[in-house]
């Protein structure tokens, strides 16, 4: 995955089969430069399987970068949810710009307000104070064996998140850390 701003488009080297995602810094979180975004995108690009992972929920989507990446990695349909109005508007622009707008449904809602279930993958780059209280909702929205990618977790909160994942019947598969951040890949048991 190569995340770039529009003014760097002509400098891209796409000869190596890289997957381009164009995001300009605006009001929304998720330009690809934060360690949390890098960590979760690395995990998604390693573990998303387009044969089995067809339906994704992007919880707290910001710019929509995780939905865009998922579709470009082979997910057929994504649901992006975000409560911030500016982010919702920015994400809609980025979906169009990156040619994935027909594959992503965007809601300005909280996870508890959406009816969709049966996700193969849930990705969330938020914070532990949002992720932890919503783990049971995520558990109910994801298929058995479904993949959960979460980040935005400070290293000092790593143990607490692992304990909460276990309490909510998620099996930890990988922990990655960079700078002061942790990212988790788990599956629903």
């Amino acid at each position: 995955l190569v995340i770039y701003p529009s003014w760097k488009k002509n400098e891209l080297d796409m000869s190596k089969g890289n997957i381009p995602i164009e995001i300009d810094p605006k009001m929304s979180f998720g330009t690809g430069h934060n360690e949390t975004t890098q960590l979760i995108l690395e995990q998604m690009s390693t573990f998303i399987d387009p044969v089995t992972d067809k339906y994704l929920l992007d919880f707290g989507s910001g710019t929509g970068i995780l939905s865009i990446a998922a579709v470009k990695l082979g997910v057929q349909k994504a649901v992006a949810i975000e409560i911030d109005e500016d982010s919702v508007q920015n994400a809609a622009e980025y979906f169009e710009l990156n040619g994935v707008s027909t594959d992503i449904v965007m809601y300005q809602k909280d996870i508890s307000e959406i009816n969709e279930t049966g996700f193969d993958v849930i990705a969330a780059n938020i914070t532990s104070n949002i992720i932890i209280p919503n783990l049971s909702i995520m558990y109910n929205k994801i298929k058995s064996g479904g993949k959960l990618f979460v980040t935005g977790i400070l290293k000092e909160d790593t143990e607490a998140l692992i304990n909460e994942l276990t309490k909510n019947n998620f099996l930890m598969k990988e922990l990655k850390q960079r700078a002061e951040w942790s990212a988790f890949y788990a599956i629903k048991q």
Side-chain angles (χ1 to χ4, degrees):
L1 297 170
V2 177
I3 295 105
Y4 65 93
S6 57
W7 59 87
K8 297 262 188 184
K9 190 173 197 165
N10 295 332
E11 299 173 27
L12 291 181
D13 177 9
M14 299 312 295
S15 62
K16 297 175 185 155
N18 294 328
I19 299 170
I21 299 175
E22 186 174 324
I23 303 280
D24 285 334
K26 290 187 182 181
M27 296 296 292
S28 306
F29 181 82
T31 62
H33 293 93
N34 186 280
E35 290 92 352
T36 59
T37 308
Q38 293 168 6
L39 285 165
I40 198 168
L41 288 174
E42 287 171 15
Q43 287 182 316
M44 289 172 63
S45 60
T46 301
F47 297 110
I48 283 182
D49 180 352
V51 174
T52 58
D53 301 328
K54 299 184 182 308
Y55 190 32
L56 172 128
L57 173 64
D58 181 356
F59 176 22
S61 64
T63 61
I65 192 169
L66 303 183
S67 293
I68 296 166
V71 169
K72 289 190 172 217
L73 289 168
V75 168
Q76 292 176 0
K77 183 179 178 192
V79 173
I81 58 172
E82 173 60 60
I83 59 171
D84 178 71
E85 187 175 345
D86 289 333
S87 294
V88 170
Q89 291 173 1
N90 290 164
E93 286 177 45
Y94 296 130
F95 298 157
E96 189 70 34
L97 187 64
N98 286 281
V100 296
S101 59
T102 59
D103 304 309
I104 302 171
V105 175
M106 181 84 201
Y107 295 119
Q108 185 177 344
K109 294 183 178 183
D110 184 69
I111 191 169
S112 63
E113 300 173 313
I114 65 166
N115 295 323
E116 287 84 348
T117 60
F119 294 100
D120 299 305
V121 179
I122 296 178
N125 182 2
I126 316 177
T127 58
S128 58
N129 66 323
I130 303 293
I131 291 171
I132 289 173
N134 286 293
L135 278 171
S136 63
I137 295 173
M138 288 188 266
Y139 183 86
N140 291 328
K141 292 201 171 286
I142 197 168
K143 288 181 180 175
S144 183
K147 298 171 182 174
L148 176 68
F149 300 97
V150 293
T151 192
I153 312 302
L154 290 167
K155 278 185 180 178
E156 62 210 43
D157 295 330
T158 298
E159 200 61 43
L161 190 70
I162 290 171
N163 290 337
E164 291 297 324
L165 286 168
T166 303
K167 270 197 242 178
N168 285 278
N169 294 311
F170 285 101
L171 176 64
M172 235 340 242
K173 298 298 273 182
E174 182 184 73
L175 166 66
K176 288 186 87 153
Q177 296 181 316
R178 185 168 301 140
E180 72 264 31
W181 303 104
S182 294
F184 305 80
Y185 161 49
I187 58 168
K188 176 179 177 175
Q189 298 190 88

